[in-house]
Amino acid sequence: MNSKYKLLIVLVLLVFSTATYAQQEIEKMIQIRAAEKVSQMCDYIEFMANPENGNDVRNKYKGKAVRLFVANCEPYEDEGIRRKGVEMEITSTLRKKPRRRLMKDYFTGLMNMRYSKVQIKSSDIHDIQLSELRKIDDNTFVCTAVFVQVFIGYRDGRPIYSDRTKKSVKCYVYKEETIEGNEYIVKLGDTKALETQKLKL
């Protein structure tokens, strides 16, 4: 094997490894953005659920939360299937089967719960687990984010209900070409309840 051929092989391997490293860095960046979106959703849910925050504040965060999701929670197409809107799966230790509600209806329900105080604590952003990206088409990818949420409802200053739910959120990643290069936009989709456990009060 002559030196020119060896050099060519080295250059090919170098280009390949550089491209692979760049792709891995892009995927890490996208996963970080997805985790940030899920963390924002959890923060907004916490604000909306607690009546101590007042209706003006809660409505403000409802508006922000809606914009985190695909089509702002309006009807959209998901891998060729027309959907009425993004959905949230709701669970309770008092019911055996989960219920599915449109996300906007879920937000409204949060603000109408009959608790005097609500505490919701979710996984820290660094504890949110992200799956690998799955390609849908040249400009669309999806991944799944898994997190844990603890809910405590109070009445007259006393906790009367609490649970711990493991949830997963479908995350859509849209690649958009800009003057400065590719931009990756993350929007959230359906949220599913994987497991719900009763907590001691």
Side-chain angles (χ1 to χ4, degrees), residues 135-195:
K135 187 175 182 179
I136 301 299
D137 56 44
D138 288 342
N139 297 310
T140 309
F141 305 83
V142 295
C143 66
T144 302
V146 176
F147 66 100
V148 173
Q149 198 170 66
V150 173
F151 177 98
I152 305 175
Y154 295 80
R155 193 167 294 159
D156 299 324
R158 296 172 54 191
I160 62 170
Y161 177 85
S162 65
D163 66 29
R164 178 186 182 274
T165 304
K166 187 176 183 180
K167 298 183 176 184
S168 67
V169 186
K170 189 173 183 178
C171 304
Y172 297 82
V173 182
Y174 303 102
K175 183 173 72 174
E176 297 183 0
E177 294 183 4
T178 68
I179 297 175
E180 298 178 352
N182 292 329
E183 179 68 23
Y184 296 90
I185 309 299
V186 178
K187 292 288 185 178
L188 303 180
D190 288 352
T191 300
K192 294 182 179 180
L194 305 177
E195 179 185 78

Side-chain angles (χ1 to χ4, degrees), residues 30-199:
I30 291 171
Q31 288 181 322
I32 290 171
R33 289 190 182 179
E36 288 173 346
K37 290 286 184 179
V38 174
S39 183
Q40 282 182 318
M41 176 191 72
C42 294
D43 287 344
Y44 295 162
I45 284 175
E46 182 180 347
F47 275 100
M48 280 186 280
N50 193 353
E52 292 184 336
N53 289 325
N55 287 334
D56 288 344
V57 172
R58 296 162 83 193
N59 278 313
K60 174 184 175 182
Y61 280 97
K62 179 181 178 182
K64 288 185 175 184
V66 164
R67 293 192 289 274
L68 294 175
F69 294 87
V70 176
N72 294 336
C73 295
E74 296 298 331
Y76 69 103
E77 190 171 294
D78 179 25
E79 299 187 43
I81 300 173
R82 190 66 180 169
R83 302 285 304 278
K84 292 181 179 180
V86 175
E87 294 182 331
M88 168 68 80
E89 201 167 66
I90 304 170
T91 58
S92 167
T93 59
L94 305 176
R95 298 186 184 90
K96 291 184 178 181
K97 292 185 178 181
R99 295 175 296 153
R100 300 188 68 80
R101 297 184 68 182
L102 290 173
M103 193 63 70
K104 290 200 297 185
D105 294 338
Y106 166 73
F107 290 155
T108 300
L110 277 179
M111 298 170 65
N112 292 328
M113 290 190 296
R114 297 179 179 179
Y115 294 108
S116 58
K117 177 183 176 181
V118 171
Q119 286 184 325
I120 298 178
K121 297 297 180 184
S122 304
S123 297
D124 184 81
I125 189 170
H126 302 295
D127 295 324
I128 296 172
Q129 300 173 0
L130 279 298
S131 69
E132 293 183 0
L133 289 177
R134 177 169 63 90
K135 187 175 182 179
I136 301 299
D137 56 44
D138 288 342
N139 297 310
T140 309
F141 305 83
V142 295
C143 66
T144 302
V146 176
F147 66 100
V148 173
Q149 198 170 66
V150 173
F151 177 98
I152 305 175
Y154 295 80
R155 193 167 294 159
D156 299 324
R158 296 172 54 191
I160 62 170
Y161 177 85
S162 65
D163 66 29
R164 178 186 182 274
T165 304
K166 187 176 183 180
K167 298 183 176 184
S168 67
V169 186
K170 189 173 183 178
C171 304
Y172 297 82
V173 182
Y174 303 102
K175 183 173 72 174
E176 297 183 0
E177 294 183 4
T178 68
I179 297 175
E180 298 178 352
N182 292 329
E183 179 68 23
Y184 296 90
I185 309 299
V186 178
K187 292 288 185 178
L188 303 180
D190 288 352
T191 300
K192 294 182 179 180
L194 305 177
E195 179 185 78
T196 300
Q197 299 175 334
K198 185 176 182 179
L199 298 179

